[in-house]
Amino acid sequence: MNLKNLFILATCAAAVASCKNDAKKSGKSDVTGWAYNSKEQGGYQVSREKEQHTGPGLVFVQGGTFMMGATEEDVMSDWNNVPARKTVNSFYIDRTEVANIHYREYLYWINNVFDADEYRAVRDGALPDTLVWRSELAYNEPLVEYYFRHPAYNYYPVVGVTWKQAYDFCLWRSDRVNELALVQKGFINKTTLKNIQGQGSESFNSKSYLMGLTTPTPGNSVRSKKNPLKNPNGTPRTTVTFEDGIMLPNYRLPTEAEWEYAALGLVGQNPSPSRKEGKRGEELITNKQVFSWSQNVNGLRDTRRGAWQGTFLANFKRGNGDNMGVAGGLNDRAVYTAPVTSFYPNAFGLYNMSGNVNEWVADVYRPMNSVDNDDVSPYRGNYYQNDFKNKDGEFEKDSLGRVKRVYATDAESITRRNYQKANVINYLDGDSLLLGVKYGYGLTTLISDKSRVIKGGSWNDRAYWLSPGTRRYMEEDQASSTVGFRCAMDRVGSPEGNGRKTGIDYPTRRQNTRKR
């Protein structure tokens, strides 16, 4: 065989191998046999399977089962945190509380994008209430004036924020993270991040973009042949869909169950957690845990030399009049709040899940939530909404650039199997089981449908409230100098984390195809 023929043979072999690799890369349907991403066979686009990347500021929390509720004697006689076994799906949560500098970034964006007169209420409505620091019998005016704005407090937790404001912050954060991801991938022109002044309703919103209601200027690379996204005819695609795996799920407030599970950090008690694919750790919780930093039943966490023995592991009030100890020996070194990365993180790497500030969670407060809620991903607060369609059957944006939504009606829910009412905030909350008696929420009780759970304890609370199982509430339109928040995000894909499979794979057995 001469060199020319040898070269031709090698070329053909390479081409065949390339075709095989392309076929494996593109794949084909198991139900029709049609090739994916092929303009010759319909052009159905399927992205390569990929893992969810971790959004800015977040920590992955592997889910599991835990005993939700009080884990020690209920000295306060609350009777609203009865222990109950629950399971939490894997999710992401902020490593720290949202700090002043982060919230000021939010206000900066709001003031620039919604600078017109008609948005005055939007700008004012986002401002935190600095007057929460005032007290009739204390001199706190310096905190009123300086706490939120002075750079000395940049990384101290933001307070004076209502539940509604915290909810809106999460929405804003989702859009900014996804917008930047699309800019970095070249699907949105990078100049849009610079020219935000006066965008108003034309500002980027994740859902509006996915539904085609927002059309930002495409980036330079979308027309390139290197663009991995293709239209059915094989030409480069200029817009991204959620199926492409580039955009992240929305940031949101954590549910009470998620927050409590993350605060306990029970993964730190597992003697042999799974570290690599194919191996599982022990299904074991060794002790009932009282505080978020605990690694044993006594709540101690120290080095081999005992260097941390006896030190404060959270920012809280030791007793009446003692918020930080004695000069020359301050115990927690913080009279009010402390920087968000102060004190020792728990086993998930989360800071200040006990102490510093209480934190808003998503749930509507009811005394017996732990008894009433589902076993998996428990949450109370559902009031289902649908995307609004006008008389022409088209979706619309509101004045803030978000997709208009309307509450689902009981009429359209009545035939469903999984729910029959749209507003299920009060569904089976325990009251109607007692001889048909119901609370008059907000009328005859201090609890209303606006009551939201706060967790974690604060700089001005005793140690009891630092236990993740304890719970209190505040109206969603109120704020406090002892309440802040952190954000969470859904986890898609494997509950064990990236690089891990869902379920357990066993060797496949060959079928006996021998003819008889």
Short mmCIF file of all heavy atoms in Angstrom, two decimals, residues 385-417:
data_model
loop_
_atom_site.label_atom_id
_atom_site.label_comp_id
_atom_site.label_asym_id
_atom_site.label_seq_id
_atom_site.Cartn_x
_atom_site.Cartn_y
_atom_site.Cartn_z
N GLN A 385 -50.40 31.35 41.36
CA GLN A 385 -50.57 32.37 40.33
C GLN A 385 -50.31 31.79 38.94
O GLN A 385 -49.57 30.80 38.80
CB GLN A 385 -49.61 33.55 40.56
CG GLN A 385 -49.91 34.39 41.78
CD GLN A 385 -48.95 35.55 41.91
OE1 GLN A 385 -47.74 35.36 41.99
NE2 GLN A 385 -49.49 36.76 41.92
N ASN A 386 -50.90 32.40 37.95
CA ASN A 386 -50.68 32.05 36.55
C ASN A 386 -50.25 33.29 35.78
O ASN A 386 -50.52 34.42 36.20
CB ASN A 386 -51.96 31.47 35.93
CG ASN A 386 -52.45 30.23 36.64
OD1 ASN A 386 -51.66 29.37 37.02
ND2 ASN A 386 -53.76 30.12 36.82
N ASP A 387 -49.58 33.06 34.67
CA ASP A 387 -49.22 34.18 33.80
C ASP A 387 -50.47 34.76 33.15
O ASP A 387 -51.34 34.01 32.66
CB ASP A 387 -48.23 33.72 32.72
CG ASP A 387 -46.92 33.24 33.32
OD1 ASP A 387 -46.55 33.75 34.39
OD2 ASP A 387 -46.28 32.35 32.72
N PHE A 388 -50.56 36.07 33.15
CA PHE A 388 -51.74 36.75 32.61
C PHE A 388 -51.71 36.77 31.08
O PHE A 388 -50.67 36.99 30.46
CB PHE A 388 -51.79 38.18 33.13
CG PHE A 388 -52.80 39.06 32.46
CD1 PHE A 388 -54.14 38.97 32.79
CD2 PHE A 388 -52.40 39.96 31.48
CE1 PHE A 388 -55.08 39.78 32.16
CE2 PHE A 388 -53.34 40.77 30.83
CZ PHE A 388 -54.68 40.67 31.18
N LYS A 389 -52.87 36.53 30.47
CA LYS A 389 -53.03 36.66 29.02
C LYS A 389 -54.11 37.70 28.73
O LYS A 389 -55.16 37.71 29.37
CB LYS A 389 -53.44 35.32 28.39
CG LYS A 389 -52.31 34.30 28.29
CD LYS A 389 -52.79 33.07 27.54
CE LYS A 389 -51.67 32.05 27.39
NZ LYS A 389 -52.12 30.86 26.64
N ASN A 390 -53.84 38.57 27.77
CA ASN A 390 -54.84 39.56 27.40
C ASN A 390 -55.91 38.93 26.50
O ASN A 390 -55.88 37.72 26.23
CB ASN A 390 -54.19 40.77 26.73
CG ASN A 390 -53.43 40.40 25.46
OD1 ASN A 390 -53.72 39.41 24.80
ND2 ASN A 390 -52.43 41.21 25.12
N LYS A 391 -56.84 39.75 26.01
CA LYS A 391 -57.95 39.22 25.22
C LYS A 391 -57.50 38.58 23.92
O LYS A 391 -58.23 37.78 23.32
CB LYS A 391 -58.94 40.34 24.94
CG LYS A 391 -58.37 41.50 24.13
CD LYS A 391 -59.41 42.59 23.93
CE LYS A 391 -58.84 43.75 23.10
NZ LYS A 391 -59.85 44.82 22.91
N ASP A 392 -56.28 38.92 23.47
CA ASP A 392 -55.74 38.33 22.25
C ASP A 392 -54.93 37.07 22.53
O ASP A 392 -54.32 36.51 21.62
CB ASP A 392 -54.86 39.34 21.52
CG ASP A 392 -55.65 40.56 21.07
OD1 ASP A 392 -56.81 40.39 20.66
OD2 ASP A 392 -55.10 41.69 21.13
N GLY A 393 -54.93 36.66 23.82
CA GLY A 393 -54.19 35.46 24.19
C GLY A 393 -52.70 35.66 24.28
O GLY A 393 -51.93 34.69 24.23
N GLU A 394 -52.26 36.91 24.45
CA GLU A 394 -50.84 37.22 24.51
C GLU A 394 -50.43 37.59 25.94
O GLU A 394 -51.23 38.16 26.70
CB GLU A 394 -50.52 38.38 23.57
CG GLU A 394 -50.80 38.07 22.11
CD GLU A 394 -50.57 39.29 21.23
OE1 GLU A 394 -50.58 40.41 21.78
OE2 GLU A 394 -50.40 39.12 20.01
N PHE A 395 -49.19 37.26 26.28
CA PHE A 395 -48.65 37.62 27.58
C PHE A 395 -48.22 39.08 27.57
O PHE A 395 -47.88 39.64 26.51
CB PHE A 395 -47.46 36.72 27.95
CG PHE A 395 -47.82 35.27 28.07
CD1 PHE A 395 -47.43 34.36 27.10
CD2 PHE A 395 -48.56 34.81 29.15
CE1 PHE A 395 -47.76 33.02 27.21
CE2 PHE A 395 -48.90 33.47 29.28
CZ PHE A 395 -48.50 32.57 28.29
N GLU A 396 -48.17 39.70 28.75
CA GLU A 396 -47.82 41.11 28.84
C GLU A 396 -46.84 41.35 29.98
O GLU A 396 -46.74 40.55 30.91
CB GLU A 396 -49.07 41.96 29.08
CG GLU A 396 -50.05 42.01 27.94
CD GLU A 396 -51.23 42.92 28.22
OE1 GLU A 396 -51.32 43.43 29.37
OE2 GLU A 396 -52.06 43.13 27.31
N LYS A 397 -46.14 42.47 29.89
CA LYS A 397 -45.27 42.93 30.97
C LYS A 397 -45.97 44.01 31.78
O LYS A 397 -46.83 44.72 31.28
CB LYS A 397 -43.97 43.51 30.41
CG LYS A 397 -43.06 42.51 29.73
CD LYS A 397 -41.68 43.10 29.47
CE LYS A 397 -41.74 44.32 28.57
NZ LYS A 397 -40.38 44.85 28.28
N ASP A 398 -45.55 44.14 33.05
CA ASP A 398 -46.06 45.24 33.85
C ASP A 398 -45.11 46.43 33.75
O ASP A 398 -44.14 46.41 32.98
CB ASP A 398 -46.28 44.82 35.31
CG ASP A 398 -45.00 44.37 36.00
OD1 ASP A 398 -43.88 44.70 35.51
OD2 ASP A 398 -45.09 43.70 37.05
N SER A 399 -45.34 47.46 34.54
CA SER A 399 -44.55 48.70 34.44
C SER A 399 -43.11 48.52 34.91
O SER A 399 -42.26 49.37 34.65
CB SER A 399 -45.22 49.81 35.26
OG SER A 399 -45.30 49.44 36.62
N LEU A 400 -42.83 47.41 35.62
CA LEU A 400 -41.46 47.14 36.09
C LEU A 400 -40.72 46.19 35.16
O LEU A 400 -39.57 45.82 35.44
CB LEU A 400 -41.50 46.56 37.50
CG LEU A 400 -42.16 47.43 38.58
CD1 LEU A 400 -42.09 46.75 39.94
CD2 LEU A 400 -41.51 48.81 38.64
N GLY A 401 -41.37 45.78 34.07
CA GLY A 401 -40.71 44.89 33.11
C GLY A 401 -40.89 43.42 33.42
O GLY A 401 -40.32 42.57 32.75
N ARG A 402 -41.70 43.10 34.44
CA ARG A 402 -41.93 41.71 34.80
C ARG A 402 -43.19 41.19 34.10
O ARG A 402 -44.09 41.96 33.77
CB ARG A 402 -42.10 41.57 36.32
CG ARG A 402 -40.87 42.02 37.10
CD ARG A 402 -41.18 42.09 38.58
NE ARG A 402 -40.03 42.57 39.35
CZ ARG A 402 -40.08 42.94 40.63
NH1 ARG A 402 -41.25 42.89 41.29
NH2 ARG A 402 -39.00 43.36 41.25
N VAL A 403 -43.26 39.88 33.92
CA VAL A 403 -44.44 39.27 33.31
C VAL A 403 -45.64 39.44 34.25
O VAL A 403 -45.54 39.16 35.45
CB VAL A 403 -44.20 37.77 33.03
CG1 VAL A 403 -45.45 37.12 32.46
CG2 VAL A 403 -43.02 37.59 32.08
N LYS A 404 -46.73 39.90 33.72
CA LYS A 404 -47.93 40.07 34.53
C LYS A 404 -48.44 38.71 34.99
O LYS A 404 -48.49 37.76 34.21
CB LYS A 404 -49.03 40.79 33.74
CG LYS A 404 -48.81 42.27 33.55
CD LYS A 404 -50.02 42.90 32.85
CE LYS A 404 -49.82 44.40 32.67
NZ LYS A 404 -50.99 45.01 31.99
N ARG A 405 -48.83 38.65 36.26
CA ARG A 405 -49.37 37.41 36.82
C ARG A 405 -50.67 37.69 37.55
O ARG A 405 -50.86 38.79 38.09
CB ARG A 405 -48.35 36.75 37.75
CG ARG A 405 -47.11 36.26 37.00
CD ARG A 405 -46.06 35.67 37.92
NE ARG A 405 -46.47 34.46 38.60
CZ ARG A 405 -46.51 33.26 38.05
NH1 ARG A 405 -46.19 33.10 36.77
NH2 ARG A 405 -46.85 32.20 38.75
N VAL A 406 -51.53 36.70 37.56
CA VAL A 406 -52.82 36.82 38.25
C VAL A 406 -53.00 35.61 39.15
O VAL A 406 -52.48 34.52 38.86
CB VAL A 406 -53.99 36.93 37.26
CG1 VAL A 406 -53.94 38.24 36.51
CG2 VAL A 406 -53.99 35.75 36.28
N TYR A 407 -53.72 35.80 40.25
CA TYR A 407 -53.98 34.69 41.15
C TYR A 407 -54.93 33.69 40.49
O TYR A 407 -55.91 34.08 39.84
CB TYR A 407 -54.57 35.19 42.47
CG TYR A 407 -53.55 35.86 43.35
CD1 TYR A 407 -53.56 37.24 43.52
CD2 TYR A 407 -52.57 35.12 44.00
CE1 TYR A 407 -52.61 37.87 44.33
CE2 TYR A 407 -51.62 35.73 44.80
CZ TYR A 407 -51.64 37.10 44.95
OH TYR A 407 -50.70 37.71 45.74
N ALA A 408 -54.63 32.43 40.66
CA ALA A 408 -55.52 31.39 40.14
C ALA A 408 -56.85 31.46 40.87
O ALA A 408 -56.91 31.85 42.04
CB ALA A 408 -54.88 30.01 40.33
N THR A 409 -57.90 31.10 40.20
CA THR A 409 -59.24 31.14 40.80
C THR A 409 -59.65 29.74 41.27
O THR A 409 -59.14 28.72 40.79
CB THR A 409 -60.28 31.64 39.78
OG1 THR A 409 -60.36 30.70 38.70
CG2 THR A 409 -59.89 33.01 39.25
N ASP A 410 -60.59 29.72 42.21
CA ASP A 410 -61.09 28.44 42.70
C ASP A 410 -61.83 27.70 41.59
O ASP A 410 -61.82 26.46 41.54
CB ASP A 410 -62.03 28.66 43.89
CG ASP A 410 -61.27 29.14 45.12
OD1 ASP A 410 -60.03 29.05 45.11
OD2 ASP A 410 -61.92 29.60 46.08
N ALA A 411 -62.46 28.45 40.68
CA ALA A 411 -63.21 27.82 39.60
C ALA A 411 -62.31 26.98 38.70
O ALA A 411 -62.69 25.89 38.26
CB ALA A 411 -63.92 28.90 38.78
N GLU A 412 -61.10 27.48 38.42
CA GLU A 412 -60.20 26.73 37.55
C GLU A 412 -59.41 25.67 38.31
O GLU A 412 -58.72 24.85 37.70
CB GLU A 412 -59.23 27.69 36.84
CG GLU A 412 -58.32 28.45 37.76
CD GLU A 412 -57.50 29.49 37.03
OE1 GLU A 412 -56.52 29.10 36.37
OE2 GLU A 412 -57.83 30.68 37.12
N SER A 413 -59.52 25.69 39.64
CA SER A 413 -58.78 24.73 40.46
C SER A 413 -59.64 23.57 40.94
O SER A 413 -59.11 22.53 41.34
CB SER A 413 -58.18 25.44 41.68
OG SER A 413 -57.42 26.56 41.32
N ILE A 414 -60.94 23.73 40.90
CA ILE A 414 -61.85 22.79 41.55
C ILE A 414 -61.77 21.39 40.98
O ILE A 414 -62.00 20.40 41.69
CB ILE A 414 -63.31 23.32 41.48
CG1 ILE A 414 -64.21 22.55 42.44
CG2 ILE A 414 -63.83 23.26 40.06
CD1 ILE A 414 -63.88 22.77 43.89
N THR A 415 -61.43 21.25 39.71
CA THR A 415 -61.38 19.92 39.09
C THR A 415 -60.03 19.25 39.23
O THR A 415 -59.85 18.11 38.77
CB THR A 415 -61.73 20.02 37.60
OG1 THR A 415 -60.81 20.91 36.95
CG2 THR A 415 -63.15 20.55 37.41
N ARG A 416 -59.08 19.93 39.84
CA ARG A 416 -57.75 19.35 39.98
C ARG A 416 -57.73 18.31 41.09
O ARG A 416 -58.49 18.38 42.05
CB ARG A 416 -56.72 20.43 40.27
CG ARG A 416 -56.57 21.46 39.16
CD ARG A 416 -55.26 22.22 39.31
NE ARG A 416 -54.12 21.33 39.24
CZ ARG A 416 -53.53 20.92 38.13
NH1 ARG A 416 -53.98 21.34 36.96
NH2 ARG A 416 -52.50 20.12 38.16
N ARG A 417 -56.83 17.36 40.98
CA ARG A 417 -56.72 16.31 41.99
C ARG A 417 -55.82 16.72 43.14
O ARG A 417 -56.04 16.35 44.29
CB ARG A 417 -56.16 15.03 41.34
CG ARG A 417 -56.13 13.83 42.25
CD ARG A 417 -55.57 12.61 41.53
NE ARG A 417 -55.57 11.43 42.39
CZ ARG A 417 -56.59 10.57 42.47
NH1 ARG A 417 -57.67 10.78 41.73
NH2 ARG A 417 -56.52 9.52 43.26
#
